[in-house]
Amino acid sequence: MNLKYFLRKLIQSLITIWIVLTISFILFRAMPGDPVSMFVKSDGMDPQVAKALIKEYGLHLPLHSQYLVYIKEMLLGNFGQSFSFQKPVIEIIAQRLPNTIILALGAQIFSIIFGILLGTIAASNRGKKIDVLLLGSALFIYAIPAFWLGIMLLSYFGVRLSLVPLFGMITPGLNHMSKWEYFKDVSQHLILPAMTFGLAITGRYAMIMRGALLDIFTEDYMITAKAKGFDRKYIIRNHALPNAMLPMVTVIAISLGFVVAGAIQTETVFSWPGIGTLTIKALELRDYPLLQGVFLIISLCVISANFIADIIYMYIDPRIKYE
Amino acid sequence: MEDRNILKVEDLNVFFKVNGGIVRAVENVNFQLKDGESIGIVGESGCGKTTTALAIMGMLPGNGYVDNGRIFFEGEDIINKDEKQWQRYRWNKISMIFQGAMNSLNPVMKIRRQIGEAIRLHNPTITKGEINARVVELFKLVGLDEKRINYYPHEFSGGMKQRVMIAMALACNPKLIIGDEPTTALDLMIQAQIIDLINDLRRKLNMGMIIITHDLSIISEICDRVAVMYAGNIVEIGSIEDIIENYKHPYTEKLIKAFPSIYGDKRMAESIPGAPPNPLSPPKGCRFHPRCHKSIDICKNVLPKYTSFGNRHFAACHVVKGDSLNE
Amino acid sequence: MNNDKVIEVNKLSVYFNARAGFFKDLIRKDKIMVRAVDGVDLSISKGEIVSLVGESGSGKTTMGRAILNLVHHNTGSLKFNDEAYDIKNKKWMKTFRKKAQMIFQDPYQSLNPKFMIADIVSEPLKFIEKKLSEEEIESKVVEALEFAGLKPARDYLYRYPYELSGGQRQRVAIASVFIISPQFIVADEPVSMLDASVRADIVKLMLQMKEEKGTSYLFITHDLALAWLVSDRIAIMYLGKIVEIGPAEIISGNCIHPYTQALISVLSNIDIKKKRKRIVLKGETPSPMNIPKGCRFHTRCPIAKEKCEKEEPPLIKRQKNHFAACHFSKRLI
Amino acid sequence: MSRNRFDVKLRNFRGFLRLFFSNTIGLIGFIMLAFFIIAAFLGPIVYPYDITDVAKGDILAQPSREFPLGTDQLGRDLLGALISGAKISLMVGFMGASISVSIGTIVGLSAGYIGGKVDSILMRLTDGMMVLPVLPLVMVLAALLGTSISNIILVIGLTGWTGTARLVRSQTLSFKERQFIERARCMGANNTYIMIKHILPNVFPVIFANTILVTSSAILRETTLSFLGLGDPLSVSWGQTLNGAFNNGAVSIGAWWYYAPPGVCIILLVLSFTFLGYSFDEILNPKLRER
């Protein structure tokens, strides 16, 4: 293990978190006409409540002290009180986050596996019919907005064929379910959103995998492996794939923002009670503490996932592992 | 009588299909290699020397094919082997040292595994311990520290990587090793170390060797015989002494005179006027005639046949002729 | 006597920072240095060709770049035509750039692929002689191309580099230097990327420029035989220092330093009758980050003794114009 | 002198066009894009449409002769909405992309060429931006700035430059090491001259191909924003129409004429850019063809 690399990546992640915090401070607090002070000053605001809010956000303090107070509160996980839910923001998020993680993680795992598989098939059959077909479908899927794909799947499988439930995560009104029934119900609700989400990112990963492999096929060590007497299958599996995983890990890491975008769209279409729909709700209700909390949590998740990817990279690239 | 040849290449033609037509990369190439003998193939880039080597390994790229000719290895015609048979024969019987070892080793695989996988492939019954012992033995043989068998390629310097490459080529005790520019891009001193290593191994292991290079001096250090290639043809072939001191073909002459020597007068090396022909449309007749200082009318139309100068020394030139061959 | 020197270099050192890592850099005060060039003296007379020969990592290329002020030097003094370098003075730099130029190694990289030949050759004039009319520029470009052997020049003016062969490209590079006829040229391995068959022509072209314009050259190369052929004097560099310098004939006859002797013994050579005993040095050149104490060559030297590990030998005059840095190789004192 | 030079450039440009139009995929992309551009410009003249023109027809009516693509929940004509959406998508795509690509080029070029601290800081910033989940950020920004079409273009432009910056930087780095840069320095060229005259023309083809890609992702992003309800309510984009369809139960009653056509148009428009990008890549990067 390379401590230097580990620490460098850790510090980079911390700096990114700091940048995110600062951006969010500027957006929500420091910009002229920022939402928090607008909210406090808004008509019909009870002066008593306004006073409490001013105190809570430290609005009477100069901006730089506000910034310090803000950073401290955020680091303690105190994202404030939601305007509309009258509950701490962190509680609301904690309730919703697991639902999104189920959806996103499932789709992510599915699409990484299939993306790598399909990309490998396409690259190993470069120029043949199957390659053209796979590449064509990947490009086609890339061109489809994820939410529209969701709508189309929903209207066909949900409305037309009535195979799956139309929205939500569990069927409303069903109580006292056994664990098994609950699991079955959630699974039924999960199928379409997961398919939508998974398809959208699988295409992307397959294209990138194909490109990475085609690059590697031109490397000299591929010729060495062939000269050793190995067949194509062995060479691809043992020589090309381990090398192609390096760019893949990087790409998967920087695609996480893309995954979040997919989650928000999918959740909206299928009314999945996760972070995405929460964001939309916070926007509709102009609930800024909640919006800020959601934004920060999503960023934190993406930054941590990125950090994990960097660590995985360290383990699969010997050039970094033993520097 | 000829069976003592481990390799015999007969009338080999290798062509490539490209957009603009067919490139005749190698045409009418003949040479033989006796057991334990080493031959150098010298020529400018694009003359077909690497293609010849790839044909012997059965590793021509997708658009290349053997149009004509036969290659005998230990008396067996190998040209019509199918891919499965080729796979069993590669590395086991003929292995290769590639140019630019930095890129010829897999960067994410330990050296022990890279050598070991080849040993296991060709001896499926071998145990893990035996493989390790063999890798250690090979490391000692090429002068590498055996503690480094578990290193990755980037942890070796350029010269050491080339030693790793040589150890890998020796892994299955092949009868023949092909070295494709084995010392190019290395510093002079490292180059000398590698040449010494190869000569040392040749003495110890008695294997056949083909060295492909543009640098005649490397061949003069390592090889017994030389084949000079120009635009897909072997224009002259013979022992190293015959080629360097008793060259016949005008191209060989130019090649040797282009070599600076610090012994003797300060004489600017001669350059060869013009450029090698476009492989898509080589000139008619002798392919060298547009650049040849000795060319006569017949060179423009008729491809010269080989004539013999004794002691397995042949050249193909209309102007400089030896005894004609019966064939 | 002194004023016939074009370039005079005294105790020139070029160090690069090697980053040990973010934290180590914070803790350590003594930064790890790559000592690429480590205290070198060299002078080149008018019309002289001096070759700088060494293996990769010897610092020969950095040395050439430092002389042209393309890399920053850490210590030492440099003089051009008996005038100390005044790199902060824009006017001085402009004159210097006009008179000291470089020919690069790789003609595939030294010509901008998006420029036409006419633009490549005329580019130096943009910075050096700004007041020329278009016709004057064109005639100068044509003259330079014809000098470089690209005839008829007008056929080449509006071509792109990719339409030319390696040798032709190097001719274009030479034409672009010829057009301002500098007094001094650093030629960094100018033929090593070219096919053997065209090398001689390019070298001849450079010699022709010397004949016509009295140009001086610092000829950087790894090829001893070539250096012997073209130059008046040869300097052998090892790990950032010149270990031996003298007339070109030292190569074919009486060199002193064991490193030079080893290099010559392994020289590419097809003369099978004159095969001499090769001295193949063991191991590889040490890293310039970690130069051995004492004589920097002692770790690989076949004649090294205890003294060599402790004391660094100075470059001592052994004969007229012939200097070597070795404690024990006694010949020619 | 200049006449001759002009001839060569013209010949090269013609050669490029010939190569481009001999590529089937590129040609298809070009025709598709041309179709959308013509529709965006001529459509509103040939087929006038006014968003405030409500209740002309029945509510959620099926396609008919009067309304070739049916009507929405307010009885508005959907074909008109579709045509006016083309203009908005193209506008957002092109303008958003020009902002992104300009920022990305400046950041990438300076980071790559100047190097050192400037590089570290700019790249830290870019990496930070790249890691940030862009859609939530864009949503927050759009919500705070207000939902006008110009704000949406601005927001998309300001958040979409990171890929370009990285690409331009890596290209700049590779050209910076070429000897022609050192040759220019040796002649006395200053940094600005080298960046503009030597590096930019070499990086330009890559920037151009990247612009195509950035345009299509800007179009997709606008569509997504509008669908999520953050679009400009006064400009009828395809995303806006889909938002209307989704929120007014078109999906559950199976009013496909409401939600299918805008999606198909988005796909075709994005595909046209993908095809163009693909064929430019092949022309600019001949190595790809050989592999």
Side-chain angles (χ1 to χ4, degrees):
Chain A
M1 169 146 147
N2 181 338
L3 191 68
K4 204 158 72 187
Y5 174 86
F6 179 85
L7 287 174
R8 193 170 74 224
K9 289 294 170 192
L10 186 68
I11 289 172
Q12 280 179 5
S13 301
L14 293 177
I15 292 175
T16 313
I17 290 175
W18 172 70
I19 291 175
V20 169
L21 283 173
T22 307
I23 288 179
S24 137
F25 179 77
I26 293 168
L27 286 180
F28 288 94
R29 304 282 282 278
M31 282 210 310
D34 66 284
V36 175
S37 32
M38 290 312 266
F39 181 70
V40 173
K41 284 180 208 145
S42 58
D43 298 338
M45 169 65 70
D46 185 340
Q48 239 14 58
V49 178
K51 220 174 183 178
L53 279 173
I54 287 172
K55 209 169 168 207
E56 188 188 335
Y57 289 102
L59 293 182
H60 56 291
L61 299 168
L63 207 56
H64 62 269
S65 333
Q66 280 191 44
Y67 179 67
L68 291 177
V69 171
Y70 161 85
I71 294 281
K72 193 184 120 203
E73 294 292 319
M74 293 299 134
L75 291 181
L76 291 173
N78 184 0
F79 295 161
Q81 193 89 359
S82 156
F83 292 165
S84 43
F85 289 81
Q86 297 302 326
K87 269 201 286 186
V89 166
I90 193 85
E91 259 177 49
I92 306 168
I93 292 175
Q95 209 182 348
R96 294 280 196 118
L97 193 60
N99 300 344
T100 297
I101 289 178
I102 291 175
L103 181 63
L105 210 61
Q108 183 76 327
I109 291 170
F110 169 88
S111 50
I112 288 173
I113 293 172
F114 276 86
I116 288 175
L117 197 72
L118 296 177
T120 309
I121 293 173
S124 351
N125 296 288
R126 182 187 156 75
K128 292 187 194 152
K129 269 187 193 142
I130 182 131
D131 178 33
V132 175
L133 187 76
L134 284 171
L135 184 65
S137 355
L139 287 174
F140 183 66
I141 286 170
Y142 171 78
I144 306 175
F147 67 86
W148 191 76
L149 182 65
I151 291 179
M152 294 314 277
L153 290 176
L154 188 66
S155 72
Y156 189 73
F157 293 104
V159 178
R160 199 80 179 272
L161 304 180
S162 298
L163 283 177
V164 285
L166 293 183
F167 58 87
M169 192 168 143
I170 43 173
T171 313
L174 268 182
N175 285 325
H176 313 296
M177 292 185 294
S178 69
K179 272 209 173 119
W180 167 244
E181 278 172 329
Y182 178 78
F183 178 75
K184 215 173 93 181
D185 194 38
V186 171
S187 304
Q188 275 180 347
H189 282 83
L190 188 62
I191 289 174
L192 272 194
M195 237 168 96
T196 308
F197 196 2
L199 263 178
I201 35 183
T202 305
R204 184 185 173 97
Y205 290 160
M207 272 198 291
I208 289 155
M209 186 69 192
R210 177 180 177 273
L213 272 177
L214 288 181
D215 272 345
I216 283 162
F217 286 169
T218 64
E219 296 280 349
D220 287 348
Y221 53 78
M222 298 299 287
I223 298 173
T224 310
K226 189 176 178 192
K228 282 180 184 170
F230 290 110
D231 56 29
R232 209 174 145 67
K233 230 179 176 173
Y234 179 94
I235 296 171
I236 289 175
R237 200 179 317 130
N238 290 278
H239 287 272
L241 281 181
N243 280 290
M245 288 328 283
L246 303 179
M248 262 322 258
V249 169
T250 315
V251 164
I252 289 170
I254 60 172
S255 299
L256 286 167
F258 186 80
V259 172
V260 169
I264 293 176
Q265 295 176 50
T266 314
E267 287 184 7
T268 308
V269 172
F270 295 96
S271 312
W272 187 263
I275 292 288
T277 38
L278 190 65
T279 317
I280 303 285
K281 197 171 263 176
L283 276 171
E284 276 168 4
L285 298 170
R286 298 286 184 243
D287 188 341
Y288 291 110
L290 183 59
L291 190 57
Q292 173 181 292
V294 169
F295 175 64
L296 289 177
I297 286 293
I298 294 178
S299 305
L300 191 67
C301 290
V302 172
I303 293 167
S304 334
N306 239 289
F307 178 65
I308 293 169
D310 282 335
I311 302 305
I312 294 175
Y313 194 95
M314 178 177 90
Y315 273 98
I316 59 177
D317 189 351
R319 281 160 290 194
I320 294 179
K321 199 168 168 188
Y322 314 93
E323 204 166 63
Chain B
M1 181 180 87
E2 287 292 283
D3 282 352
R4 275 187 54 246
N5 288 330
I6 57 163
L7 185 76
K8 189 175 172 194
V9 177
E10 264 185 19
D11 303 327
L12 183 69
N13 286 1
V14 183
F15 295 168
F16 288 96
K17 280 194 200 114
V18 293
N19 276 339
I22 286 176
V23 170
R24 296 159 170 257
V26 170
E27 211 169 1
N28 193 26
V29 160
N30 286 282
F31 66 91
Q32 293 148 23
L33 196 64
K34 287 188 184 145
D35 212 0
E37 196 176 45
S38 69
I39 188 168
I41 303 179
V42 68
E44 291 166 285
S45 45
C47 71
K49 52 191 195 295
T50 299
T51 306
T52 308
L54 290 179
I56 296 169
M57 293 287 280
M59 280 184 39
L60 292 170
N63 59 342
Y65 59 97
V66 174
D67 174 75
N68 181 36
R70 295 198 288 179
I71 300 173
F72 294 96
F73 182 79
E74 294 184 312
E76 179 196 2
D77 187 357
I78 54 177
I79 212 78
N80 293 318
K81 280 179 183 285
D82 64 24
E83 184 59 22
K84 269 253 131 39
Q85 289 168 318
W86 272 118
Q87 280 163 10
R88 256 172 298 177
Y89 152 95
R90 282 180 203 140
W91 219 257
N92 200 15
K93 303 276 186 186
I94 304 183
S95 66
M96 213 162 164
I97 301 167
F98 289 96
Q99 174 177 16
M102 10 244 123
N103 303 323
S104 295
L105 297 168
N106 185 339
V108 303
M109 202 190 262
K110 286 177 182 169
I111 296 300
R112 180 174 55 83
R113 244 193 86 198
Q114 292 194 49
I115 299 178
E117 65 169 7
I119 300 173
R120 203 184 50 233
L121 175 72
H122 297 289
N123 313 275
T125 53
I126 199 166
T127 66
K128 231 181 155 182
E130 285 168 330
I131 291 179
N132 276 349
R134 174 74 181 142
V135 176
V136 168
E137 185 190 345
L138 287 166
F139 259 54
K140 281 184 189 156
L141 198 60
V142 299
L144 284 169
D145 183 358
E146 61 188 89
K147 286 183 206 117
R148 302 185 124 201
I149 58 168
N150 277 325
Y151 280 28
Y152 287 94
H154 73 277
E155 296 168 276
F156 292 92
S157 69
M160 287 199 284
K161 268 186 211 155
Q162 199 57 294
R163 282 173 195 266
V164 168
M165 200 65 223
I166 292 171
M168 198 144 90
L170 296 172
C172 303
N173 287 319
K175 284 275 163 48
L176 174 65
I177 292 186
I178 301 174
D180 186 2
E181 303 275 8
T183 63
T184 309
L186 296 174
D187 261 337
L188 207 58
M189 198 54 73
I190 308 295
Q191 204 167 313
Q193 291 173 354
I194 298 293
I195 289 172
D196 278 7
L197 174 67
I198 290 177
N199 278 333
D200 184 42
L201 291 170
R202 278 211 332 117
R203 257 194 310 276
K204 276 187 199 153
L205 306 173
N206 187 41
M207 40 182 191
M209 191 142 208
I210 300 176
I211 298 285
I212 291 163
T213 178
H214 67 279
D215 184 350
L216 204 52
S217 71
I218 290 160
I219 291 180
S220 79
E221 304 275 5
I222 300 176
C223 299
D224 309 318
R225 286 167 61 72
V226 193
V228 181
M229 271 187 99
Y230 182 80
N233 298 135
I234 290 181
V235 295
E236 185 165 4
I237 184 167
S239 73
I240 182 77
E241 292 83 7
D242 281 342
I243 295 291
I244 286 177
E245 297 189 331
N246 196 18
Y247 49 79
K248 298 295 175 198
H249 198 279
Y251 179 66
T252 316
E253 180 184 341
K254 288 276 184 191
L255 211 58
I256 286 168
K257 285 195 174 160
F259 219 90
S261 167
I262 60 166
Y263 307 103
D265 302 336
K266 271 201 193 183
R267 172 183 54 80
M268 204 61 197
E270 283 175 40
S271 60
I272 309 173
N278 175 357
L280 272 172
S281 52
K284 260 180 77 183
C286 172
R287 288 183 181 178
F288 187 59
H289 85 259
R291 301 173 77 187
C292 183
H293 59 293
K294 287 183 178 164
S295 76
I296 50 176
D297 275 350
I298 188 173
C299 305
K300 290 178 189 147
N301 296 309
V302 183
L303 190 71
K305 287 205 171 74
Y306 290 103
T307 52
S308 167
F309 298 89
N311 186 27
R312 292 166 77 205
H313 180 185
F314 307 97
C317 179
H318 289 301
V319 181
V320 187
K321 279 187 181 167
D323 306 329
S324 57
L325 300 169
N326 294 332
E327 302 164 51
Chain C
M1 182 69 207
N2 215 359
N3 52 12
D4 77 321
K5 299 269 188 277
V6 181
I7 289 283
E8 271 187 275
V9 176
N10 259 306
K11 299 268 166 294
L12 181 78
S13 300
V14 182
Y15 300 154
F16 298 115
N17 276 332
R19 293 202 58 186
F22 186 68
F23 292 100
K24 278 196 188 140
D25 279 353
L26 280 181
I27 299 161
R28 294 175 63 120
K29 283 247 168 78
D30 52 325
K31 292 233 173 81
I32 295 181
M33 292 288 195
V34 176
R35 285 144 72 189
V37 176
D38 200 14
V40 172
D41 299 337
L42 184 70
S43 63
I44 299 167
S45 302
K46 286 182 181 148
E48 190 186 27
I49 301 183
V50 176
S51 283
L52 198 54
V53 181
E55 295 178 281
S56 50
S58 63
K60 56 186 194 300
T61 298
T62 311
M63 171 98 184
R65 280 169 168 65
I67 290 175
L68 288 181
N69 195 39
L70 292 171
V71 295
H72 177 76
H73 61 272
N74 296 60
T75 62
S77 69
L78 290 151
K79 277 185 189 170
F80 183 67
N81 283 335
D82 216 19
E83 231 179 293
Y85 278 31
D86 190 2
I87 52 175
K88 292 207 174 106
N89 180 341
K90 274 195 178 161
K91 214 174 145 199
W92 188 88
M93 274 313 288
K94 214 182 131 185
T95 344
F96 178 65
R97 292 276 177 241
K98 187 180 169 180
K99 291 186 176 163
Q101 276 296 324
M102 185 152 180
I103 296 173
F104 292 88
Q105 174 179 20
D106 185 350
Y108 290 86
Q109 288 205 4
S110 67
L111 308 182
N112 189 333
K114 299 280 164 191
F115 277 33
M116 290 184 192
I117 302 306
D119 300 328
I120 293 171
V121 177
S122 68
E123 201 183 13
L125 298 175
K126 271 192 201 169
F127 302 98
I128 284 150
E129 291 182 45
K130 290 181 180 167
K131 285 179 196 134
L132 294 175
S133 72
E134 249 182 46
E135 287 74 32
E136 284 171 307
I137 291 177
E138 197 187 271
S139 75
K140 271 185 169 274
V141 169
V142 167
E143 187 199 347
L145 285 174
E146 283 186 347
F147 166 81
L150 295 171
K151 290 177 207 167
R154 279 174 205 281
D155 285 0
Y156 289 92
L157 286 178
Y158 303 107
R159 292 215 212 166
Y160 285 95
Y162 71 85
E163 298 172 74
L164 306 185
S165 71
Q168 288 174 321
R169 287 177 203 219
Q170 203 61 307
R171 287 173 190 273
V172 170
I174 289 174
S176 82
V177 169
F178 176 85
I179 201 167
I180 52 172
S181 36
Q183 205 183 343
F184 169 65
I185 294 174
V186 173
D188 184 8
E189 304 260 19
V191 298
S192 71
M193 304 289 286
L194 303 177
D195 266 338
S197 55
V198 297
R199 282 182 189 178
D201 289 342
I202 298 296
V203 172
K204 277 179 195 154
L205 206 52
M206 290 168 57
L207 294 179
Q208 195 188 333
M209 186 142 63
K210 177 197 151 177
E211 292 306 316
E212 285 182 20
K213 308 265 174 182
T215 321
S216 317
Y217 284 96
L218 179 66
F219 194 89
I220 297 168
T221 181
H222 67 279
D223 186 344
L224 263 176
L226 186 64
W228 173 76
L229 263 177
V230 303
S231 47
D232 302 311
R233 284 192 298 144
I234 291 180
I236 311 286
M237 243 180 132
Y238 183 78
L239 263 185
K241 266 228 152 104
I242 290 180
V243 295
E244 182 162 8
I245 180 166
E249 283 64 39
I250 59 168
I251 299 305
S252 51
N254 42 19
C255 62
I256 294 167
H257 200 279
Y259 180 61
T260 317
Q261 288 170 358
L263 275 186
I264 292 169
S265 79
V266 299
L267 202 57
S268 309
N269 172 20
I270 54 170
D271 225 343
I272 32 179
K273 271 189 192 152
K274 288 180 186 154
K275 285 260 137 74
R276 43 153 93 183
K277 172 117 181 66
R278 295 169 4 129
I279 310 166
V280 178
L281 299 174
K282 294 230 161 51
E284 292 172 18
T285 313
S287 154
M289 271 198 279
N290 200 1
I291 294 178
K293 288 216 172 64
C295 173
R296 55 194 64 205
F297 183 59
H298 84 257
T299 52
R300 303 173 73 202
C301 182
I303 60 165
K305 296 189 180 135
E306 219 174 292
K307 186 181 179 192
C308 304
E309 289 170 34
K310 289 171 188 148
E311 239 178 87
E312 176 147 33
L315 201 57
I316 288 173
K317 186 168 182 173
R318 305 291 177 112
Q319 230 187 3
K320 189 173 183 272
N321 283 334
H322 189 177
F323 301 78
C326 179
H327 291 306
F328 293 102
S329 188
K330 292 286 187 213
R331 281 196 286 162
L332 294 171
I333 290 195
Chain D
M1 184 158 180
S2 52
R3 208 187 105 79
N4 207 333
R5 178 187 304 271
F6 179 76
D7 285 349
V8 172
K9 295 224 156 141
L10 190 69
R11 197 185 66 212
N12 283 359
F13 183 65
R14 283 213 191 108
F16 173 80
L17 286 187
R18 200 174 317 119
L19 214 57
F20 178 75
F21 285 113
S22 65
N23 184 321
T24 324
I25 290 181
L27 197 60
I28 294 173
F30 179 78
I31 292 170
M32 277 159 64
L33 182 60
F35 170 77
F36 280 107
I37 292 176
I38 292 169
F41 279 99
L42 293 185
I45 301 167
V46 180
Y47 195 93
Y49 170 75
D50 182 4
I51 184 181
T52 54
D53 197 6
V54 289
K56 236 174 147 186
D58 292 337
I59 287 166
L60 286 175
Q62 289 208 18
S64 61
R65 185 168 292 178
E66 194 187 351
F67 301 107
L69 280 178
T71 61
D72 66 4
Q73 75 282 357
L74 295 175
R76 289 179 297 196
D77 177 35
L78 281 169
L79 179 62
L82 198 68
I83 292 171
S84 81
K87 196 176 94 196
I88 292 168
S89 279
L90 286 170
M91 191 166 78
V92 173
F94 285 132
M95 292 176 74
S98 6
I99 297 175
S100 295
V101 171
S102 311
I103 299 177
T105 303
I106 293 168
V107 170
L109 206 58
S110 355
Y113 185 73
I114 300 169
K117 286 207 176 95
V118 177
D119 184 29
S120 306
I121 292 171
L122 286 178
M123 278 303 112
R124 234 30 321 254
L125 188 75
T126 310
D127 282 354
M129 276 294 283
M130 208 159 208
V131 171
L132 283 187
V134 172
L135 186 65
L137 180 66
V138 168
M139 286 164 72
V140 169
L141 272 172
L144 295 180
L145 291 173
T147 49
S148 75
I149 195 81
S150 52
N151 276 347
I152 286 176
I153 292 173
L154 196 68
V155 163
I156 289 174
L158 287 177
T159 50
W161 54 269
T162 51
T164 314
R166 289 209 129 201
L167 191 72
V168 172
R169 175 177 175 270
S170 74
Q171 286 283 315
T172 305
L173 282 179
S174 82
F175 283 109
K176 186 185 162 189
E177 297 303 316
R178 302 277 173 94
Q179 284 167 1
F180 64 82
I181 301 298
E182 199 167 21
R183 188 176 154 266
R185 285 213 295 137
C186 193
M187 293 177 327
N190 62 24
N191 287 346
T192 327
Y193 175 89
I194 291 175
M195 270 204 264
I196 291 174
K197 278 282 196 177
H198 281 282
I199 294 184
L200 199 57
N202 278 294
V203 181
F204 182 75
V206 176
I207 296 178
F208 187 73
N210 179 254
T211 307
I212 296 172
L213 204 89
V214 174
T215 309
S216 68
S217 73
I219 289 171
L220 278 173
R221 210 160 264 169
E222 184 277 332
T223 310
T224 307
L225 272 184
S226 300
F227 171 74
L228 294 175
L230 291 157
D232 183 345
L234 292 178
S235 46
V236 191
S237 73
W238 292 329
Q240 200 78 17
T241 306
L242 287 168
N243 175 272
F246 186 70
N247 286 331
N248 292 292
V251 179
S252 44
I253 65 163
W256 56 267
W257 58 89
Y258 199 168
Y259 57 79
V264 173
C265 284
I266 294 164
I267 293 171
L268 290 179
L269 184 57
V270 172
L271 272 183
S272 75
F273 281 105
T274 314
F275 287 172
L276 283 178
Y278 179 83
S279 66
F280 277 124
D281 246 8
E282 282 217 340
I283 294 173
L284 300 174
N285 207 349
K287 249 201 255 163
L288 286 177
R289 272 176 290 176
E290 284 158 25
R291 274 206 306 231

